[in-house]
Amino acid sequence: MTAKKVGEFTVTPVSDGVLYSNHDVILGVDKDESARLTGVPYGQPLPLDVNSFLIRHDGKLILSDAGTGQALQPVQKNLGKLPANLRAAGAPPEAIDIIMLTHLHSDHSMGLIDEQGRPVFPKAEILIHEVEAAFWLDRKLQPNDTDRIVANSNKQRAVLAPYRDRIRRIKDGPVLPGITATMRPGHTPGHTNWLIESGGERLLIWGDIVHLAAVQLARPEARLIYDVDTDLAAATRAKVLEWAASEKITVAGAHIRYPGFGKVTK
C-alpha cells in the first residue's frame, strides 16, 4: 500500500478489488476507438479498479467511500476486499471514525453493510452531500424514473438505514479540519469531491470524475451509462480536468488503476 503525505495528513489507497465491465457502458465514443484507447478488444471484459482512500489525521481514521461489500457477488468475484485490506493497513472497519461518501452508487456505498444487513463500520459517522442524500434517500420515486434510478434508490435507503442516526448531510465548504467538499454533479446529482489541504500541499479525491482514464482523459466527452445526467457529467469532467491540470494538483480516483494517484496534464 503506497501512502501519500499531504502535510499533516497521510492518505493510503485501499483496494476493494476489480470490477469487470464492458465497452457497451461507454457512450459517445465508438467501440473501435474505445478498444484502441483501452487496449482491450471489444467483447472482452473491461477492468475497473475500485479504490477507497484511508485518511489518517489528528488521531482520526477517515475513509473516502466504502466499497461494494457483497452486493455485486457472485457475478463480480474480485470485489468486496475492502474490510480485509483495511485490516492489513492497520485500520479495521470497527476503528473507522468517519466515512465520506463521494456519492451513492453500489461500488461506493454497499460495503457499509454485511450480508445480514448489519453495519460494517459500527462507530463511523457518514458524511453525504445534502443534494445527494435528498435525491437517493428522500425523493419520492417518479413514474418516469429509469429502472436504474429506482433500483439504486431502494438499495441506498436500505444500506444507510443502520446508520440513520450517524449521517451528517453536508454542504459545499469545509467539512472537517483541512478537508473541503465541492459538489461536482452529473454522474449523480450530488456527486462530491474532497479537497485535502495541509502544509501547502493539496490532494483532490475526485470519486467518479473519471471511470476509464484511458478513454476519458483522451476523450473527456465520453460518458457512461451509469451517469444520471450524461451531459452534465461530461461538462463537470471537463471543468475538473481543466482545474486539476492548471493547478498541477495530485488527484486520487476511485477507478484510476491502483494505487489511484495521479496528475492531469493536457
Side-chain angles (χ1 to χ4, degrees), residues 93-114:
E94 310 82 52
I96 300 297
D97 297 293
I98 298 166
I99 299 175
M100 308 186 305
L101 294 174
T102 58
H103 62 296
L104 295 178
H105 270 168
S106 293
D107 54 327
H108 298 259
S109 66
M110 294 303 288
L112 289 170
I113 59 172
D114 64 17

Side-chain angles (χ1 to χ4, degrees), residues 52-111:
S52 292
F53 295 92
L54 175 66
I55 303 160
R56 291 180 167 95
H57 181 246
D58 197 23
K60 295 286 188 183
L61 293 175
I62 305 163
L63 187 64
S64 175
D65 290 333
T68 61
Q70 301 302 306
L72 302 181
Q73 303 284 1
V75 176
Q76 298 282 351
K77 298 178 181 179
N78 295 291
L79 290 171
K81 303 179 185 301
L82 182 63
N85 287 334
L86 282 171
R87 291 188 178 92
E94 310 82 52
I96 300 297
D97 297 293
I98 298 166
I99 299 175
M100 308 186 305
L101 294 174
T102 58
H103 62 296
L104 295 178
H105 270 168
S106 293
D107 54 327
H108 298 259
S109 66
M110 294 303 288

